[in-house]
Amino acid sequence: FSSEVTVGRAQVQQEPSAETTEGTAISITCSRPSINSYNYIYWYPHPPGRAPAYLVSSPKDSKELRDPPGRLWVSADRRSSALWLARPRRGDAAVYYCALGD
């Protein structure tokens, strides 16, 4: 299970990679260097050989994830976010993209 990240336009920053074993929790972080007009933080996993798919978004606070089990956390100033996967499965292996939007 890994998260490799490619970011364009320098709107957000993510760690270059993160890895875990199946069933072991992982947290993937995302931050933006400056406050801008975007309100929501979105997460999109891009599994190998498949198209990216919407996973979760939130403007603030935190939000529970049901599938895969976990939580999205957004800081009070909306400048950072973390996607926590409680028990990642082999099928959750993907490039996880963080994006900003309204």
Side-chain angles (χ1 to χ4, degrees), residues 26-89:
I26 186 172
S27 183
I28 306 167
T29 61
C30 168
S31 63
R32 52 178 158 173
S34 61
I35 296 174
N36 54 36
S37 61
Y38 296 110
N39 292 318
Y40 277 74
I41 295 178
Y42 296 81
W43 284 89
Y44 294 86
H46 186 185
R50 295 168 54 193
Y54 167 81
L55 177 62
V56 65
S57 64
S58 181
K60 60 181 180 177
D61 302 326
S62 63
K63 191 173 192 177
E64 293 286 335
L65 289 174
R66 298 180 74 184
D67 187 24
R71 177 183 290 271
L72 167 65
W73 172 84
V74 180
S75 65
D77 64 6
R78 299 197 312 272
R79 290 180 66 174
S80 61
S81 174
L83 179 65
W84 179 71
L85 303 179
R87 296 178 303 279
R89 302 156 297 196

